[in-house]
Structure formats: C-alpha cells, structure tokens
Amino acid sequence: VSGIFVRGGGPDQNLFILDEAPVYNPSHLFGFFSTFNNDAVKNVELFKAGFPAQYGGKLSSVIDVQLNEGNRKHWAATGGVGLISSRLTVEGPIVKDKISFIVSGRRTYADLITSAINRANERPEGGGTRIPDYYFYDLNAKFNADLGPNDRLYVSGYFGRDVFDFKDERFSFNFNWGNATVTARWNHVFNPKLFSNTTFTFSDYQYNVGSRFGDFEFSLGSGIRDLNLKNDYGWFPNDDHNVRFGWNAVHHTFDVNSLRFGSDNGEFDLEAGNQYTALEMAAYANDEWNITPLLALNTGLRLSGFVSDGKFYAGLEPRLALRYSLLDNLSLKASYTRMYQYIHLVTNSAATLPTDVWYPSTRRVRPQYSDQVSLGVNYALGKNWFFSAEGFHKWLGNQIDFRDGAQLIANDNLDEEFVFGTGRSYGAELYLEKKLGKVSGWLGYTLSWAERTFPDIDNGRPFRPRYDRRHDISVVLMWQASKRITFSAVWVFNTGNAFSLPEGRFNFFDQNGIPNLDLSTGTFYELNLAPLYSARNKFRLPSYHRLDLNMVWKLSKPEKRFQSDLTLSIFNVYDRRNPFFIFYDLLDDNADGAPDRVVPKVVSLFPILPTVTFNFSF
C-alpha cells in the first residue's frame, strides 16, 4: 500500500490523527486521494520536527486533522458528481445554536474506466499491458452538542476502504485495506485559564492480500485495533505561556499473518496466524514560552511506556524548539526531538510490492527510537512571496526488517525472522510560494539520503531502504484567467523506489513435492527453480512523475446562495505509465512441466484520465 515517507522514515513512522483517533493508512488511490475528505475537514496541522510533547508513538511526522462540527444556524450541502468520483456533504442544526451534525461521503468508480480500457486492449493471442482495477469509498460523520455553559460533547466517526484488483494470464492479485474510527470527546472549561478534554477513541485497520498462481491461491492479512482513553489539559497562566499536560493509555490488538494457502483440488490447505495484545501509556507536559517579542521557546517532556509479551519498556522523550526573529520578515528556527515507537509495520524491503505486518514490541523486538536535529530559516518578501529552507539529520535505532530468505508463510514465530539494525537520514527542504496575483503557486524540493545498516543483511554493509528518495519535486501553478475561470497545473517528480531484483537462479529438488511460493517477490515455482538475489535493494524502479491539469468554471454569481461550478480535469496528461510493482512470470519454454526462465513484468497504475465534475453548494 502506498505510504508517506518523511525525512527518510518508513511509512509506519508517521502519526495520522483524525479527531484524536489514529489512522494507520492515510491515503486512497495510492496517494492520489487523501483519506481525509476536504469537504469535512476543519483544520490540519503538520509537524516534521520540533514536535510538541502531546504527540508521541511515531518517529517521523505528525498530521493532526480535525473535522468540521456542522453548521449550527442552517442546513447546507456541498457535493460533486464526476466521471471518476462523486461526493456529498450534508450539515445542519438538530437544535439551533446547540446541537449540530455533519455527514460526508465519497465513492470513486475508476475501475469502470480501467476495465473498459483493458477490454479494448485485449488481443486474440493474449498478452498486452493490463491496468489494475481500483476503487475506494469513505464516510465521515460528526455530532456535537452543548451540555451546558462549560461543557460540550463531540462524537465522530470514519469508515473507508480501498479495493485493488489485477489479473494477467497466469497471475492474479487482489488487495484491500480500510480504516474505521470512532471518537467521543468531552470538553470542560474550569475557568478562563484552564480547560480539559477527556477522549475515548476506537480505531481499526485491516489489510488483506490475495494472489493466485496456477492452481494455487493464497491470502495474507494483518491488522491492528486500538482502544484509547486520554485526558488533556490546557492552562494559560499568563500571556507569555501556553501550558499543556495530560496522559493516555491505549490497548492494542494485533492480527499477524492471518494466512490461508491452498490448492483448487483440496490436496493442499494451510491456515496460520497469531494475535497479540499490548498496553501503551504516556504522560507529558509542554510549555510554549514567548521569552521576548523576538524569541520563543517550546520545551516539553514525554514519558512513555509499553507492556507486551510480559515485557515492559519505558522511554524518556525530551523536546526542544527555538524560534528567533532577526527581522520582521526573517526568522531562524532550530529543534531537537527524541521519539520512541513501540508498534512496527515490518515490511519486506526486498520486494517491489511489500508484505506488511503490524507487530508489537516484545521480549525479542525492542522499541524503535530516533534523535532528530533541524535548522531552518523563513523569509517573507512583502505579503506576496514566502521562502523557507530547512536542513535535518536523523539517527534511528532498533530498526526492523526481515532477514534474507525469511520464512513468512505459516510461521507462528515470525519474530525469529526479524533482524535489527540502525539507520540515518539527512537532507534539505526548500519551499517557495507566491501568494497573490492572477498567477500564484508554490515550488517544493527535497534532496535527501536514507540508509539502513543491519549486521545480518549484506554482511553489515549499508543499503538504501525502499523509501530512499534522492529527489522529490512538487510544482503547483494557479492562474485566475477571469472572475469565473481558473486554471491550475500540478507536476510531481520523485526518484523511483529501491528494490531487489533476482540476478540469477538455482535448481533444487523438493523431497516433499510441495509447491513453493516466494512471498518476497510474489513468485510461485513448482519444483526446481528459485531466484538468486545479490545485494539488498541494489536496483531502482524508474522515477515517478506526472502532470495534472485542471480548469474550474464558476456557473453562478458570488451573491447567490446556490453556488456551482464545472471542473474539467486531466490526470496524468502525458500518459506516464508509472510502475507500481513488478512480478515475475515463470515460463516453460520446453513444455516439460518445469520452468525454464523468469520474466519480470511491470504493473503500472493509471493512464491518462480526463474527467468532468459538477460541484455545488447551498
């Protein structure tokens, strides 16, 4: 599944929060759509360094999303109907000025388009490049009510799922993933300087993979469910201090390697899997202190703990961030952060399509930790231009990977296949934005390096993880052609993922005559052929890049209550077939029942996709 990679960290090292509930996979359409529906979102905060002490449990970033609370005055609706997706949001008062709600849903149907393209490209002799079928749907809902002059109750929920399906002549692949969250929060105001939030959240994430190779079929799944109780306080002793403190406790349940592997004739049938539970706790205090009008200091301390498998871990996490204004439009910032992470998304980095397993810290698996320092500068040129630059260096400990040749199927002691090492990442981020005028937009560029070192991999030589991306570029341009017509363009580029490619093969004889499946590559081989790998992640997929164009034509005047527009979009304008993963087909050229050669095949994501959407609000 697509992940977000921040400053050399893995996809599991980012904390995504939706109304206080963690979301374990934050993207639809492999990153093209966000899990968070813009029509339902009230506010988003992003932290990549200088993390406040109330956030913990992950090493690389925090994205804190708050949903809209619903219109308390009158009913309103926002939506859109398009060729690829449709959405609808409805909000309004249940009791005017006291109780309100909002409900927002989306559904894509790109799978109908890709299926039609695949049928058009079918050849009588077989073959041809097929495009995977894909769709997603999600639903957000929130209810809030005043319980009195000093008390308010919030209840919100989210449910979403993605479904991906790919079929070839000899190979089929399906996976789906989904999140479900529920939040109940009670806000109480003690006095103008002190308030509290008592919050209960439920979060459930499930990930399932299924494949068919010849007459054999397998499915593999993982998941994590959380029950979280937390109590946060905000205290404002004076105008110069903003103090936050609190605690939380989370009960985790992990489903690990829920597996079924069998044959169509029923002669071979295997099921396996484990379930683990854990308790994670934390207490924190944080102070935002304006020392002078030019100097601000953010200090915090977090104490975290974790209990699982009869083992207790604890970590002390100091936080420090400093901001100094040299001029009215020029400021410097610096920060240091220590973070601990007790739950792990263990990914087979040797594969182009990862095998993901959520796993707790145990007697054998120690918590990950990181130390990060960063230094940056912000510069504003008038009200129109803004520039920022920031350098960072991050050190990572107790990183986890699968050993070479790991046995992933039907293994009830999966942690015996783990290896442990260290990592580091460093680089620089540049950002330039033009805010005003008929032409506006921004440019972002990141140059970074990431590496991992494991004594049990490649004889301890450092290697690049999958998510090492040397270059990452985003360009966004918007042109206000008239009062009613706006054009925009988005171009993205990033270095291709590192992966391992077999450079040879060797023959063997299986005395049991049991078919073999190399899950790290998705390769099924019957009796006498297996791939041979060299160094870990020695190769790279081609770079990813695409251009999207958009035109918005406002159909109604600004003073009208009913607003509407027509949006014309072209996704992937120059039809770049960006590779998503590689699978290996086994060919029997001699027709003797034994594979003779391995042929890699690339599976790409979406081709050029034009679409029209009618948007409305009232």
Side-chain angles (χ1 to χ4, degrees):
V1 179
S2 174
I4 295 177
F5 311 118
V6 178
R7 295 186 171 181
D12 66 322
Q13 294 178 356
N14 306 295
L15 177 61
F16 293 90
I17 305 172
L18 181 62
D19 270 359
E20 306 293 335
V23 176
Y24 285 96
N25 190 312
S27 64
H28 288 308
L29 200 62
F30 312 105
F32 183 59
F33 283 89
S34 170
T35 291
F36 313 118
N37 187 344
N38 289 338
D39 292 340
V41 170
K42 175 183 178 182
N43 185 53
V44 179
E45 287 189 279
L46 168 65
F47 300 92
K48 296 183 290 184
F51 303 92
Q54 61 264 32
Y55 300 111
K58 298 297 177 72
L59 304 184
S60 292
S61 74
V62 175
I63 297 180
D64 189 349
V65 180
Q66 299 172 6
L67 293 177
N68 279 322
E69 298 170 3
N71 195 312
R72 291 188 159 209
K73 299 294 184 181
H74 54 78
W75 286 73
T78 302
V81 179
L83 298 179
I84 294 179
S85 67
S86 294
R87 70 191 196 282
L88 177 64
T89 299
V90 178
E91 59 182 317
I94 298 175
V95 177
K96 191 172 182 178
D97 295 326
K98 289 187 177 182
I99 304 175
S100 64
F101 80 96
I102 182 171
V103 177
S104 183
R106 294 184 296 179
R107 209 293 192 182
T108 64
Y109 24 85
D111 52 317
L112 303 178
I113 299 174
T114 55
S115 295
I117 295 174
N118 286 332
R119 288 192 298 269
N121 289 339
E122 286 180 354
R123 304 172 183 172
E125 69 275 12
T129 301
R130 295 185 61 84
I131 302 169
D133 294 331
Y134 172 87
Y135 67 90
F136 80 79
Y137 57 89
D138 60 29
L139 178 69
N140 290 277
K142 190 169 185 176
F143 163 91
N144 73 94
D146 288 344
L147 305 179
N150 297 321
D151 297 278
R152 180 177 283 190
L153 176 66
Y154 303 86
V155 179
S156 62
Y158 167 83
F159 179 78
R161 182 157 297 276
D162 290 62
V163 179
F164 175 96
D165 186 69
F166 174 79
K167 292 182 176 64
D168 207 314
E169 290 84 359
R170 294 173 49 88
F171 170 78
S172 67
F173 181 83
N174 172 276
F175 70 86
N176 63 82
W177 68 94
N179 294 279
T181 70
V182 176
T183 299
R185 178 164 60 96
W186 168 40
N187 172 256
H188 177 68
V189 178
F190 294 95
N191 56 58
K193 292 187 176 183
L194 179 65
F195 71 90
S196 71
N197 283 303
T198 302
T199 308
F200 170 80
T201 69
F202 166 80
S203 179
D204 181 35
Y205 170 66
Q206 298 295 325
Y207 171 87
N208 299 283
V209 181
S211 286
R212 169 172 286 274
F213 302 88
D215 297 330
F216 288 83
E217 185 174 9
F218 88 95
S219 62
L220 181 68
S222 67
I224 180 171
R225 290 181 298 279
D226 293 347
L227 296 173
N228 181 17
L229 180 63
K230 58 185 300 188
N231 196 206
D232 301 289
Y233 293 85
W235 178 42
F236 307 94
N238 54 53
D239 292 340
D240 295 328
H241 288 272
N242 180 358
V243 179
R244 295 194 62 173
F245 57 95
W247 60 270
N248 80 293
V250 187
H251 182 272
H252 300 287
T253 302
F254 301 84
D255 294 320
V256 176
N257 263 2
S258 300
L259 166 77
R260 185 183 181 280
F261 180 35
S263 60
D264 290 342
N265 58 18
E267 294 181 358
F268 186 72
D269 193 8
L270 176 66
E271 293 186 6
N274 283 325
Q275 188 175 87
Y276 301 91
T277 60
L279 179 64
E280 185 173 358
M281 303 150 287
Y284 73 90
N286 195 90
D287 183 17
E288 297 180 18
W289 179 20
N290 294 318
I291 301 175
T292 72
L294 301 179
L295 181 62
L297 181 66
N298 191 326
T299 59
L301 187 64
R302 183 181 180 90
L303 176 62
S304 58
F306 192 85
V307 180
S308 180
D309 191 31
K311 179 67 175 178
F312 173 71
Y313 292 103
L316 196 61
E317 307 177 29
R319 314 288 174 84
L320 179 66
L322 185 69
R323 186 180 73 253
Y324 180 69
S325 298
L326 295 173
L327 301 169
D328 290 342
N329 61 345
L330 179 64
S331 64
L332 300 177
K333 57 182 180 179
S335 68
Y336 163 76
T337 305
R338 159 63 69 102
M339 308 277 273
Y340 281 90
Q341 180 169 326
Y342 298 96
I343 61 175
H344 321 280
L345 181 61
V346 186
T347 301
N348 186 357
S349 65
T352 56
L353 185 67
T355 301
D356 295 335
V357 179
W358 286 96
Y359 212 84
S361 294
T362 62
R363 292 179 181 273
R364 174 173 169 77
V365 182
R366 299 178 61 82
Q368 303 177 58
Y369 64 89
S370 70
D371 293 283
Q372 181 180 210
V373 295
S374 65
L375 179 65
V377 57
N378 293 334
Y379 177 68
L381 182 59
K383 297 181 179 180
N384 196 18
W385 290 90
F386 175 79
F387 172 77
S388 70
E390 186 166 347
F392 66 91
H393 199 127
K394 181 162 46 178
W395 297 265
L396 301 160
N398 292 338
Q399 299 301 284
I400 304 174
D401 207 330
F402 287 117
R403 69 174 71 254
D404 291 332
Q407 176 60 45
L408 306 182
I409 292 183
N411 188 344
D412 291 333
N413 299 301
L414 191 64
D415 59 4
E416 294 181 359
E417 305 296 335
F418 296 163
V419 292
F420 307 94
T422 60
R424 67 169 183 153
S425 62
Y426 53 94
E429 299 172 342
L430 305 176
Y431 178 81
L432 177 64
E433 181 180 8
K434 184 178 184 292
K435 299 180 178 182
L436 305 175
K438 286 193 172 184
V439 177
S440 59
W442 53 268
L443 166 67
Y445 172 64
T446 299
L447 174 66
S448 65
W449 290 261
E451 67 180 27
R452 299 291 185 267
T453 303
F454 289 77
D456 297 314
I457 297 178
D458 289 349
N459 296 315
R461 292 189 295 268
F463 65 91
R464 301 298 180 186
R466 279 174 42 85
Y467 33 83
D468 171 60
R469 291 182 174 176
R470 192 71 61 249
H471 307 282
D472 195 303
I473 305 172
S474 298
V475 182
V476 177
L477 290 175
M478 291 166 284
W479 175 36
Q480 186 73 49
S482 69
K483 290 182 178 181
R484 291 195 174 188
I485 297 179
T486 302
F487 294 93
S488 63
V490 178
W491 185 73
V492 294
F493 173 93
N494 57 66
T495 303
N497 287 348
F499 76 105
S500 298
L501 185 69
E503 297 181 87
R505 70 187 188 200
F506 63 91
N507 296 324
F508 72 99
F509 297 95
D510 189 334
Q511 297 179 355
N512 298 321
I514 298 176
N516 291 270
L517 175 68
D518 183 353
L519 190 58
S520 69
T521 63
T523 301
F524 170 79
Y525 47 90
E526 291 185 327
L527 291 177
N528 63 344
L529 183 65
L532 183 63
Y533 294 88
S534 59
R536 176 69 65 95
N537 292 346
K538 180 180 177 181
F539 299 92
R540 284 192 183 272
L541 291 172
S543 296
Y544 179 100
H545 55 89
R546 76 169 197 267
L547 173 66
D548 304 332
L549 297 178
N550 193 62
M551 185 193 77
V552 178
W553 177 23
K554 293 183 179 180
L555 303 177
S556 55
K557 296 181 179 181
E559 63 271 13
K560 299 293 184 180
R561 183 179 178 186
F562 183 87
Q563 294 290 308
S564 63
D565 67 64
L566 198 63
T567 300
L568 309 177
S569 302
I570 304 178
F571 169 77
N572 195 9
V573 171
Y574 49 84
D575 198 27
R576 167 73 174 178
R577 298 299 176 95
N578 288 295
F580 179 55
F581 68 89
I582 294 177
F583 72 93
Y584 305 96
D585 200 1
L586 300 175
L587 301 183
D588 181 9
D589 294 329
N590 298 323
D592 57 2
D596 299 301
R597 58 192 177 98
V598 179
V599 178
K601 292 187 176 181
V602 176
V603 176
S604 299
L605 286 181
F606 304 102
I608 179 173
L609 287 177
T611 183
V612 180
T613 304
F614 173 73
N615 301 295
F616 61 87
S617 65
F618 59 89

